[in-house]
PDB file of all heavy atoms in Angstrom:
ATOM      1  N   VAL A 121       4.753  22.473  11.489  1.00 95.00           N
ATOM      2  CA  VAL A 121       6.007  21.809  11.832  1.00 95.00           C
ATOM      3  C   VAL A 121       7.127  22.826  11.633  1.00 95.00           C
ATOM      4  O   VAL A 121       7.374  23.278  10.516  1.00 95.00           O
ATOM      5  CB  VAL A 121       6.243  20.558  10.962  1.00 95.00           C
ATOM      6  CG1 VAL A 121       7.533  19.863  11.362  1.00 95.00           C
ATOM      7  CG2 VAL A 121       5.056  19.610  11.053  1.00 95.00           C
ATOM      8  N   ALA A 122       7.793  23.181  12.726  1.00 95.00           N
ATOM      9  CA  ALA A 122       8.868  24.167  12.693  1.00 95.00           C
ATOM     10  C   ALA A 122      10.195  23.492  12.330  1.00 95.00           C
ATOM     11  O   ALA A 122      10.336  22.269  12.455  1.00 95.00           O
ATOM     12  CB  ALA A 122       8.975  24.852  14.051  1.00 95.00           C
ATOM     13  N   PRO A 123      11.185  24.272  11.897  1.00 94.00           N
ATOM     14  CA  PRO A 123      12.488  23.695  11.557  1.00 94.00           C
ATOM     15  C   PRO A 123      13.163  22.953  12.712  1.00 94.00           C
ATOM     16  O   PRO A 123      13.985  22.070  12.469  1.00 94.00           O
ATOM     17  CB  PRO A 123      13.320  24.915  11.137  1.00 94.00           C
ATOM     18  CG  PRO A 123      12.308  25.889  10.632  1.00 94.00           C
ATOM     19  CD  PRO A 123      11.104  25.690  11.519  1.00 94.00           C
ATOM     20  N   ASP A 124      12.806  23.263  13.944  1.00 93.00           N
ATOM     21  CA  ASP A 124      13.390  22.541  15.081  1.00 93.00           C
ATOM     22  C   ASP A 124      12.613  21.269  15.411  1.00 93.00           C
ATOM     23  O   ASP A 124      12.932  20.578  16.370  1.00 93.00           O
ATOM     24  CB  ASP A 124      13.486  23.436  16.322  1.00 93.00           C
ATOM     25  CG  ASP A 124      12.139  23.803  16.916  1.00 93.00           C
ATOM     26  OD1 ASP A 124      11.078  23.411  16.361  1.00 93.00           O
ATOM     27  OD2 ASP A 124      12.129  24.483  17.952  1.00 93.00           O
ATOM     28  N   GLY A 125      11.590  20.949  14.604  1.00 90.00           N
ATOM     29  CA  GLY A 125      10.818  19.728  14.799  1.00 90.00           C
ATOM     30  C   GLY A 125       9.585  19.889  15.675  1.00 90.00           C
ATOM     31  O   GLY A 125       8.803  18.961  15.818  1.00 90.00           O
ATOM     32  N   THR A 126       9.387  21.075  16.257  1.00 92.00           N
ATOM     33  CA  THR A 126       8.215  21.307  17.093  1.00 92.00           C
ATOM     34  C   THR A 126       6.949  21.257  16.239  1.00 92.00           C
ATOM     35  O   THR A 126       6.903  21.821  15.153  1.00 92.00           O
ATOM     36  CB  THR A 126       8.318  22.683  17.790  1.00 92.00           C
ATOM     37  OG1 THR A 126       9.504  22.708  18.569  1.00 92.00           O
ATOM     38  CG2 THR A 126       7.115  22.943  18.674  1.00 92.00           C
ATOM     39  N   VAL A 127       5.935  20.572  16.742  1.00 93.00           N
ATOM     40  CA  VAL A 127       4.664  20.438  16.032  1.00 93.00           C
ATOM     41  C   VAL A 127       3.561  21.006  16.911  1.00 93.00           C
ATOM     42  O   VAL A 127       3.488  20.699  18.106  1.00 93.00           O
ATOM     43  CB  VAL A 127       4.360  18.955  15.721  1.00 93.00           C
ATOM     44  CG1 VAL A 127       3.023  18.819  15.006  1.00 93.00           C
ATOM     45  CG2 VAL A 127       5.474  18.344  14.891  1.00 93.00           C
ATOM     46  N   ARG A 128       2.695  21.830  16.308  1.00 94.00           N
ATOM     47  CA  ARG A 128       1.547  22.349  17.048  1.00 94.00           C
ATOM     48  C   ARG A 128       0.388  22.593  16.083  1.00 94.00           C
ATOM     49  O   ARG A 128       0.607  22.909  14.914  1.00 94.00           O
ATOM     50  CB  ARG A 128       1.916  23.595  17.820  1.00 94.00           C
ATOM     51  CG  ARG A 128       2.262  24.782  16.978  1.00 94.00           C
ATOM     52  CD  ARG A 128       2.670  25.988  17.806  1.00 94.00           C
ATOM     53  NE  ARG A 128       1.715  26.257  18.836  1.00 94.00           N
ATOM     54  CZ  ARG A 128       2.028  26.812  20.007  1.00 94.00           C
ATOM     55  NH1 ARG A 128       3.247  27.177  20.260  1.00 94.00           N
ATOM     56  NH2 ARG A 128       1.094  27.027  20.896  1.00 94.00           N
ATOM     57  N   PRO A 129      -0.860  22.441  16.565  1.00 95.00           N
ATOM     58  CA  PRO A 129      -2.010  22.681  15.699  1.00 95.00           C
ATOM     59  C   PRO A 129      -2.261  24.180  15.502  1.00 95.00           C
ATOM     60  O   PRO A 129      -2.077  24.968  16.433  1.00 95.00           O
ATOM     61  CB  PRO A 129      -3.167  22.021  16.447  1.00 95.00           C
ATOM     62  CG  PRO A 129      -2.748  22.011  17.881  1.00 95.00           C
ATOM     63  CD  PRO A 129      -1.252  21.935  17.878  1.00 95.00           C
TER      64      PRO A 129
END
Side-chain angles (χ1 to χ4, degrees):
V121 182
D124 68 358
T126 302
V127 179
R128 66 182 310 150

